[in-house]
Amino acid sequence: MDTMSNDSPIRTDPGKRGWVHAALARLEQESARSADTHLLRLDFPGFPGIAFYFKDEASHPTGSLKHRLARSLYLYALCNGRLDEGQTVVDASSGSTAISEAWFARLLGLPFIAVMPACTAPQKIHAVQALGGQCDLVEDPAQVHARAARHAAEGACHLDQFGLAERATDWRGNNNIAESIIGQMCREAQHEPTWIVCGAGTGGTSATIGRYLRYRRLDTRLCVAEPTGSGYVHGWRSRSREAVASQPTVIEGIGRPRVEPGFLFAVVDAVVEVDDAASIAAATQLETLLDSRYGGSSGTNFAACLTLATRMRAAGERGSIVSLLCDRGKRYSDTLFDATWRRDHGLDIAPWQTAIATALERGELVAPD
């Protein structure tokens, strides 16, 4: 069998499946080299008896929790016979998934096209291009799926994160974020989390966590943190797969305008809506607390954690809340973390910054007037 390194091309053997076997071996090598991500604990004076944990998915080689998903999507495509040597790979993505998919495409020696809304953060576009990927920018974000399907019709392998995320990942284990969280929590005082909090981009993460909690017969509840008025929010409440968003969001990666195929409502116990300004303010607070910058969806998660903790404290509950740090904040230096950009988008985060700082001291998150 060939010995492979990151820089050497994948060489095929005479067998029909030679390239596929070599590609699978390379993905297995990559997985074995990747250490698990850190689980960080924070305690706040306003919430005695409630421990906060944040799983740092931004520490993956491609800088986000989508590294796990991208690996799973490539494995799924290879094992289902949809991806062959030299074939172009395509997917619709606002950035983080595309960056991870471009990284794996380079690892396997494959061309990659990311179909992205033209309004995607420039840092994300540049990251895909730096990895050798091509960005097909679409003015109307609602058309990214159709554009990706057009590339697929021309012979590309469509990884289809939105259509396949909830089935591409093995929710019983193996590259499973829920399994990792529960394993890391087993030696903590509150080893069975009261809540796990995540967003809903493709629906894959929430589906995986929700299924795994049931599979392990755990009482841990799952909360989806979403931008106010997202498609998921309305779909979860009405159980309608025809639901659409009632307002847009600037928080990339979550807050989908429609109900995606991977959204499983029944495995989610609660949904917390978070204003965009609150998400950004919470992300700035995370930077202060952890001395590292994370993206807007991490802020959305943190704000939802504080909402749940407020409810727990009011009810006299103790326990732990686990959430995700989704991606690196430097990707949003020109947008969410830029004061001029926020002003141009009518986002005043100062009141929410005060509200969040107060909540950490007093144990109650109150929305500013």
Side-chain angles (χ1 to χ4, degrees):
M1 184 174 181
D2 288 330
T3 299
M4 296 178 295
S5 69
N6 275 342
D7 297 323
S8 63
I10 294 179
R11 297 187 291 274
T12 61
D13 62 25
K16 182 179 179 181
R17 299 180 185 173
W19 183 84
V20 172
H21 288 177
L24 289 168
R26 179 160 285 181
L27 291 176
E28 186 176 19
Q29 287 177 338
E30 186 278 332
S31 179
R33 287 193 297 267
S34 297
D36 202 354
T37 57
H38 299 296
L39 188 66
L40 311 175
R41 174 168 172 160
L42 292 174
D43 296 282
F44 304 116
F47 297 102
I50 302 174
F52 293 75
Y53 294 87
F54 298 91
K55 189 160 177 59
D56 190 0
E57 291 292 284
S59 62
H60 282 295
T62 55
S64 80
L65 82 167
K66 298 300 184 180
H67 192 85
R68 296 178 191 266
L69 173 59
R71 186 194 296 125
S72 293
L73 289 168
Y74 275 97
L75 287 169
Y76 193 79
L78 287 163
C79 293
N80 280 278
R82 297 193 300 111
L83 180 58
D84 297 312
E85 182 176 7
Q87 187 176 6
T88 296
V89 178
V90 67
D91 210 352
S93 169
S94 63
S96 288
T97 302
I99 293 168
S100 297
E101 289 173 340
W103 189 88
F104 278 102
R106 187 176 69 173
L107 182 72
L108 300 177
L110 299 171
F112 176 73
I113 300 173
V115 180
M116 313 170 83
C119 60
T120 299
Q123 293 268 6
K124 290 185 175 182
I125 295 171
H126 296 157
V128 171
Q129 294 170 335
L131 289 164
Q134 174 187 341
C135 295
D136 184 359
L137 302 180
V138 180
E139 290 298 328
D140 182 0
Q143 296 302 310
V144 293
H145 297 285
R147 185 71 65 86
R150 187 188 308 170
H151 286 289
E154 295 171 354
C157 174
H158 186 191
L159 293 179
D160 195 9
Q161 62 158 330
F162 292 104
L164 299 176
E166 55 87 15
R167 68 193 69 177
T169 298
D170 182 359
W171 52 268
R172 296 176 186 86
N174 180 27
N175 189 34
N176 178 329
I177 192 170
E179 178 186 47
S180 177
I181 289 172
I182 298 304
Q184 289 176 313
M185 287 292 295
C186 69
R187 291 179 176 82
E188 299 297 318
Q190 300 100 346
H191 59 274
E192 187 172 317
T194 307
W195 287 97
I196 295 179
V197 178
C198 69
T202 62
T205 300
S206 58
T208 297
I209 295 173
R211 287 163 164 167
Y212 188 77
L213 294 175
R214 285 158 176 74
Y215 179 62
R216 287 289 305 274
R217 302 182 297 279
L218 301 175
D219 292 328
T220 301
R221 290 166 285 174
L222 173 62
C223 173
V224 165
E226 276 286 277
T228 301
S230 77
Y232 188 95
V233 166
H234 295 301
W236 184 83
R237 288 177 176 161
S238 65
R239 292 301 196 269
S240 171
R241 304 205 68 83
E242 304 304 317
V244 296
S246 55
Q247 65 184 73
T249 179
V250 299
I251 308 301
E252 296 182 22
I254 57 175
R256 298 296 301 164
R258 67 179 193 182
V259 173
E260 299 295 347
F263 289 174
L264 301 186
F265 300 134
V267 302
V268 175
D269 300 292
V271 170
V272 172
E273 292 182 87
V274 180
D275 290 344
D276 284 357
S279 293
I280 302 169
T284 64
Q285 183 66 62
L286 282 172
E287 183 175 7
T288 299
L289 294 167
L290 298 172
D291 195 29
S292 189
R293 179 174 284 183
Y294 299 93
S297 59
S298 302
T300 307
N301 288 342
F302 185 28
C305 289
L306 294 176
T307 297
L308 294 174
T310 297
R311 296 173 185 173
M312 289 175 63
R313 182 177 180 275
E317 294 182 43
R318 301 170 69 89
S320 58
I321 301 174
V322 181
S323 192
L324 308 178
L325 301 170
C326 304
D327 62 355
R328 298 170 184 164
K330 69 178 183 179
R331 296 174 178 175
Y332 309 95
S333 298
D334 298 330
T335 56
L336 304 183
F337 292 99
D338 182 82
T340 300
W341 184 92
R342 291 197 303 267
R343 185 176 64 248
D344 291 344
H345 286 76
L347 293 165
D348 181 8
I349 68 171
W352 274 109
Q353 287 176 315
T354 300
I356 290 168
T358 301
L360 302 185
E361 293 296 325
R362 300 181 182 177
E364 182 180 15
L365 180 62
V366 179
D369 296 331

